[in-house]
Amino acid sequence: MTESQRATLGYMGPFVAFVGFMALEKSVFHSQHLYPVRCLVVLAAILVFSRPYLLLRPSRPISSVLLGIAVFAIWIAPDALFGYRHHWLFENGITGTTASTLAPGDQANFWFLAVRTFGSTLLVPIVEELFWRGWLMRWLILPDFTKVALGTFAPLAFWGVAVAFAMEHGPYWEVGLAAGILYNWWMVRTRSLADCMLAHAVTNGALSAYVMATGAWRYWL
């Protein structure tokens, strides 16, 4: 295996494992009962394939935390202020609906919620930042992405990743787009995956706390 292939596996592998397992849960089991197994599989993929590409020392930690809080506020603001989420623009045959696949029993299960929070706050930011801003944002500039510096700006790559990131979030696509733009901008500004991972982790951690405090399980699709 060449260095380029190893890098591709390191940046893409955990994301492919995460999304593949999630699709299996939704299509076959119609629940998140296997979420702990998904976390173990993804964690193993990170440890085996991604460790050489993980730089976990943010250069602007305070600003990254503040950005993460801002994205969290943007994420919940439309529902809290306007309540338009059930409009056909957001719930349809393409984007899906906001109904959570979390079983009622899991909503009261401390250990499941702890694992779900761990996955959302710590694993997902690593997985998604490696893929979206570590790999795809560079690959769209040059297929041999290892020759492109992290945070390199190119309009097609910037906006293509923002749109794809929005589509990944289904009925929350409009706030997903805003989040994608802000995370992309932060990647360009800091040229640091660690800063993007930290901002993303703060967003997801705050959202997890909000979900459990308010019972807004719809945010955990």
Side-chain angles (χ1 to χ4, degrees):
M1 184 180 293
T2 67
E3 176 54 36
S4 179
Q5 290 171 331
R6 282 193 292 271
T8 300
L9 189 59
Y11 282 99
M12 291 183 60
F15 182 85
V16 172
F18 187 89
V19 172
F21 218 98
M22 180 172 63
L24 182 66
E25 290 173 18
K26 288 186 176 182
S27 62
V28 178
F29 300 102
H30 306 291
S31 76
Q32 294 188 20
H33 287 317
L34 293 181
Y35 190 87
V37 179
R38 189 203 314 182
C39 287
L40 288 175
V41 171
V42 170
L43 180 59
I46 291 172
L47 294 175
V48 172
F49 302 118
S50 305
R51 278 189 301 171
Y53 313 103
L54 287 177
L55 302 176
L56 299 178
R57 293 184 179 180
S59 60
R60 302 184 185 184
I62 295 176
S63 297
S64 296
V65 168
L66 293 176
L67 178 65
I69 293 171
V71 174
F72 161 70
I74 290 171
W75 203 273
I76 66 170
D79 290 336
L81 297 176
F82 309 112
Y84 60 63
R85 186 62 53 196
H86 298 299
H87 190 277
W88 66 267
L89 281 173
F90 305 101
E91 291 191 331
N92 53 62
I94 297 175
T95 62
T97 67
T98 58
S100 175
T101 56
L102 212 65
D106 292 334
Q107 296 172 10
N109 185 320
F110 171 81
W111 293 111
F112 182 88
L113 294 180
V115 172
R116 185 65 172 77
T117 300
F118 166 78
S120 179
T121 304
L122 297 178
L123 290 185
V124 169
I126 293 174
V127 168
E128 293 203 332
E129 294 308 318
L130 281 170
F131 178 80
W132 293 115
R133 278 155 281 278
W135 176 72
L136 186 59
M137 201 167 170
R138 292 191 285 168
W139 183 85
L140 288 173
I141 297 173
L142 185 69
D144 189 359
F145 73 100
T146 58
K147 295 181 179 178
V148 180
L150 287 166
T152 300
F153 176 78
L156 175 62
F158 186 98
W159 293 106
V161 168
V163 170
F165 189 78
M167 293 171 62
E168 180 197 28
H169 289 89
Y172 295 97
W173 63 264
E174 94 287 13
V175 288
L177 178 61
I181 292 171
L182 288 171
Y183 291 151
N184 285 0
W185 167 77
W186 198 230
M187 184 73 233
V188 172
R189 186 170 180 82
T190 64
R191 295 180 176 269
S192 166
L193 267 180
D195 282 280
C196 287
M197 288 176 184
L198 177 56
H200 203 151
V202 169
T203 299
N204 286 13
L207 187 61
S208 295
Y210 179 81
V211 165
M212 291 185 287
T214 64
W217 307 107
R218 63 188 178 276
Y219 288 109
W220 278 355
L221 297 174

